[in-house]
Amino acid sequence: KTQVDKLDDRLRKGKLEEEDSRQLDSYRRSFTEAYEEVVAIIRDATKLDPSGRTAKSTTSIVEKLRREKIRLTQMQDIAGCRLVVPDVVAQDQVMGRLMSVLPQADLVDRRKKPSFGCRAVHIVATVRDRPVEIQVRTELQHLWAQLSEKLSDVFEPAIKYGGGDAETREYLSAASAAIASYEEPELMLSRLALPEDMELRSKTAKLTEELNRSKQDLRKFLEEAITIWGASPGSEGGN
């Protein structure tokens, strides 16, 4: 086994010596240059400024090692960043640009296969032999993730990973499905050529307006839910 593999055995068991902490810090720092290069590429390609972190916290690393039974060297989100865009059309555009400028990148579209209700586009770019995860979320998808964080703070962290009580899981699942019910037609409409018939054009425009109004209602619901649960005892916030 490599030194890193031996380290993650000890991390999983929760027995960390001072030298182990130094080794982990060294391993996390080895992602810094790759992260900075990816962020520069994102800014140049999209003119957007991502939020993110050069390295995952020790607690998050240990929890993921225990939860997913993977090796430290297999973890693709030691370093990661996030882009939040207005809608699913912009999400597709940003995704296309990033995939074109990051030749060594894998795409995971969690809009089609949500992870415990979480919908987003994940791009794992390999730069300098290090993976860097890029999450691209729409504003609605981001609000859903914030709500999931708040509920995890109030009830239990397992909610983010499909755990917790059935009622809370159904609540989040319904909110996630509602987002998809608006974003999927929105993407479909954006890909259709405008009809030449003026009456059909007018109907298409009205449909788009109705869709946007429904999305605004859903946005308000999510924002209010985040505010309510954020004010509950036990909430530590989240993003």
Side-chain angles (χ1 to χ4, degrees), residues 154 227-236:
V154 173
T227 300
I228 290 167
W229 291 111
S232 298
S235 175
E236 299 173 1

Side-chain angles (χ1 to χ4, degrees), residues 96-110:
R97 287 179 200 152
L98 293 180
M99 291 302 291
S100 69
V101 296
L102 293 165
Q104 286 186 284
D106 295 316
L107 174 67
V108 180
D109 192 341
R110 297 207 180 278

Side-chain angles (χ1 to χ4, degrees), residues 25 63 70 78 80 88 109 171 175-176 181 187-188 215 224 234:
D25 284 340
E63 287 177 353
I70 60 173
I78 295 288
V88 73
D109 192 341
Y171 177 65
S176 177
S181 73
L187 191 57
M188 181 190 71
K215 282 179 59 185
E224 288 172 5

Side-chain angles (χ1 to χ4, degrees), residues 35 38-40 42-43 46 48-52 81-84 134:
Y35 171 83
V38 166
V39 167
I42 292 170
R43 286 173 176 155
T46 68
L48 299 172
D49 194 22
S51 60
C81 58
R82 178 187 305 136
L83 290 166
V84 179
I134 308 162

Side-chain angles (χ1 to χ4, degrees), residues 2 17 24 29 51 64 67 69 74-75 88 90 104-105 109 111-112 120-121 129 132 158 163 213:
T2 66
E17 302 292 338
L24 180 58
R29 283 197 302 272
S51 60
K64 187 162 186 175
R67 185 175 66 249
K69 308 299 182 186
Q74 295 172 317
M75 206 173 285
V88 73
Q104 286 186 284
D109 192 341
R111 297 173 301 182
K112 297 176 181 176
V121 170
D129 293 321
V132 178
R213 280 197 295 270

Side-chain angles (χ1 to χ4, degrees), residues 7 21 42 49-50 60 67 69 72 81 83 91 98 116 136 146 177-180 187-188 191 199 210 213 235:
L7 173 61
S21 296
I42 292 170
D49 194 22
S60 295
R67 185 175 66 249
K69 308 299 182 186
L72 187 56
C81 58
L83 290 166
Q91 187 178 41
L98 293 180
F116 310 116
V136 187
Q146 290 179 303
I179 290 170
L187 191 57
M188 181 190 71
R191 291 171 175 172
E199 186 177 350
E210 289 174 10
R213 280 197 295 270
S235 175

Side-chain angles (χ1 to χ4, degrees), residues 84-88 90-91 137-140 183 186 215 219:
V84 179
V85 296
D87 54 42
V88 73
Q91 187 178 41
R137 295 176 180 171
T138 66
E139 291 178 356
L140 286 179
E183 290 189 335
E186 181 179 34
K215 282 179 59 185
R219 175 198 293 275

